[in-house]
Amino acid sequence: MSPRLKAITREEHLAFVAAQPSVSHMQVPSWGDVKPDWRAESLGWFGEDGRLVGVGLALLRPLPKLKRYLAYLPEGPVIDWSAPDLEGWLEPMLSHLKGLGAFSVRMGPPVVTRRWSAEVVKAAIAAPGARRLRDVEATTREPRAFDIAERLRRTGWRQNEPGAEDGFAAGQPRHVFQVPFAGRSLEDIHQGLNQQWRRNIKKAEKAGVKVVQGGYEDLPAFHALYVETAERDRFVPRPLGYFQRMWTSLRAEDPDRMRLYLAHHEGDVLAAATMLTVGEHVWYSYGASTGRRRDVQPNNAIQWRMMSDAHELGAKVYDFRGITDTLDEDNHLLGLLRFKVGTGGEAVEYLGEWDYPLNRVLHRALGLYMSRRR
């Protein structure tokens, strides 16, 4: 018998998340408070015995002048993706969201498809013929993920590919870089860093770089560096208010949900970063740095402090979040990939984001609108 779905309270949602080893920070109730332009709905799946067996944070974005919504479950929902009756889990969700006025649903199944070791990624970057990570032979493959993808296609879900004409604006990264912590001491993790990383950490220490935890009052200093980083790396920065809202919303739910770190050197803040924690999964969320005094290696120092603190918190995974799929030397994001590869972790590919058009006309119209904005 398929699970029964209904709206649940934030308290029910949070209690279920707290009992799981790993849930995306975008699937906790407080993430809805971070996104005020979206209406948040907590969904719950219940088994035959009435026990809560799955949850999802659905974000609903209204269309101008219409009581119709985009429904988005970033890196969710949190359900049994290996269930033989997967359709029985997803169909009630579609029906419920349609009843709320959704014309299209997007979700990001938290299902890993492939992993590449740091050694494989490093060799691929050096190989003259390699163009994309997806074309490189993976270290491990997850066969069930490809079965899940096929089942989604058969039931009307469409995989959203970058650059596709239909679908919403770019969502969450499909490729990320993670450092496994499970069963490893901090010394093991340190030894897993490449020689350059270890040298830079020692250099920062000798130069007197001090990494400290900051508070709400330090967010403007972080944001100033973040804006400088955005100009240098060619992306559009979020406003300071976004990070202030993240801080108050996430920490109201759990004081350790969000932390801010700042790297000081001779009275100057050279780098800053935010860290998010849910259960045994820790994310490096946003990073920022100045072009001043890069020779004292504040970025390596701040990451090592965050990794050390994550290990102390009992993290099983330290997640560097998104990486580029390209291995092209001319791509300005390749340097960031090299930086993350130096930690000795692994590149991880998820199933990506999937769309289900409940109203094909509105879904197609939105896709055309978004493609013209890119």
Side-chain angles (χ1 to χ4, degrees):
M1 184 177 176
S2 299
R4 179 174 52 89
L5 181 141
K6 68 175 183 177
I8 57 174
T9 66
R10 291 174 67 114
E11 292 73 23
E12 289 174 303
H13 187 159
L14 187 58
F16 184 87
V17 166
Q20 310 306 309
S22 180
V23 172
S24 169
H25 61 278
M26 297 181 185
Q27 282 295 302
V28 298
S30 58
W31 190 252
D33 301 327
V34 178
K35 304 289 184 179
D37 294 335
W38 300 72
R39 170 183 144 202
E41 179 97 357
S42 287
L43 308 178
W45 282 258
F46 292 82
E48 289 184 60
D49 58 359
R51 186 172 55 90
L52 189 61
V53 293
V55 298
L57 180 72
L59 302 176
L60 304 171
R61 183 82 179 250
L63 280 181
K65 301 179 182 179
L66 291 174
K67 291 185 178 180
R68 305 300 298 274
Y69 301 88
L70 304 174
Y72 183 32
L73 292 93
E75 300 183 359
V78 185
I79 60 174
D80 182 4
W81 285 96
S82 60
D85 61 335
L86 182 59
E87 298 80 0
W89 289 73
L90 297 178
E91 286 173 7
M93 179 184 78
L94 293 173
S95 178
H96 180 85
L97 294 172
K98 186 175 183 178
L100 295 177
F103 68 86
S104 194
V105 178
R106 169 170 286 191
M107 65 178 181
V111 176
V112 172
T113 61
R114 294 183 288 183
R115 300 175 188 269
W116 295 263
S117 69
E119 292 75 18
V120 168
V121 177
K122 184 179 177 182
I125 292 172
R131 302 290 297 178
R132 291 195 170 275
L133 184 61
R134 70 185 73 172
D135 300 324
V136 176
E137 184 65 32
T139 307
T140 60
R141 294 169 62 91
E142 304 289 345
R144 75 180 185 98
F146 299 95
D147 176 59
I148 291 169
E150 184 55 35
R151 290 164 67 184
L152 291 174
R153 290 189 191 95
R154 286 200 308 263
T155 52
W157 289 88
R158 302 174 179 178
Q159 190 167 26
N160 184 270
E161 296 289 354
E165 283 196 358
D166 67 338
F168 314 151
Q172 306 312 314
R174 184 169 177 177
H175 296 87
V176 301
F177 202 87
Q178 298 176 348
V179 182
F181 277 15
R184 302 173 71 194
S185 68
L186 192 59
E187 178 61 26
D188 293 335
I189 295 164
H190 186 266
Q191 287 302 312
L193 304 175
N194 70 11
Q195 189 176 33
Q196 187 67 50
W197 259 81
R198 294 197 300 271
R199 186 184 300 125
N200 287 350
I201 291 169
K202 187 175 290 187
K203 188 173 184 179
E205 187 178 343
K206 285 185 176 179
V209 174
K210 303 295 182 187
V211 179
V212 300
Q213 278 197 60
Y216 182 88
E217 68 281 2
D218 296 301
L219 287 171
F222 157 79
H223 192 258
L225 293 180
Y226 169 71
V227 170
E228 181 181 337
T229 304
E231 292 172 357
R232 184 175 65 241
D233 293 347
R234 291 173 278 171
F235 65 85
V236 179
R238 293 186 182 277
L240 173 60
Y242 180 84
F243 296 100
Q244 292 172 327
R245 193 163 56 247
M246 274 184 70
W247 183 269
T248 55
S249 300
L250 299 182
R251 287 176 64 91
E253 185 174 86
D254 183 333
D256 270 331
R257 188 75 83 223
M258 179 177 178
R259 291 186 180 186
L260 173 66
Y261 290 84
L262 304 104
H264 292 262
H265 181 258
E266 297 180 350
D268 195 8
V269 180
L270 300 182
T274 59
M275 186 175 95
L276 304 181
T277 301
V278 182
E280 297 172 350
H281 202 123
V282 169
W283 293 263
Y284 156 53
S285 178
Y286 286 91
S289 63
T290 180
R292 304 185 304 275
R293 298 305 317 272
R294 301 186 81 153
D295 57 305
V296 299
Q297 310 302 331
N299 292 312
N300 294 91
I302 206 167
Q303 286 295 340
W304 180 241
R305 168 65 187 276
M306 290 164 67
M307 291 170 77
S308 300
D309 285 3
H311 187 271
E312 186 178 346
L313 286 170
K316 297 293 178 64
V317 175
Y318 185 83
D319 198 323
F320 275 94
R321 291 293 285 167
I323 56 172
T324 176
D325 179 45
T326 183
L327 301 173
D328 190 340
E329 284 286 347
D330 295 330
N331 191 301
H332 71 284
L333 293 173
L334 192 63
L336 186 58
L337 175 59
R338 283 197 175 102
F339 177 77
K340 295 177 181 182
V341 167
T343 63
E346 57 188 12
V348 180
E349 180 188 58
Y350 282 88
L351 206 54
E353 297 196 321
W354 294 71
D355 297 335
Y356 194 100
L358 294 167
N359 181 311
R360 295 183 184 279
V361 173
L362 287 176
H363 179 88
R364 193 176 301 114
L366 179 73
L368 290 171
Y369 170 70
M370 296 308 298
S371 68
R372 288 170 184 157
R373 288 182 60 192
R374 290 180 184 140

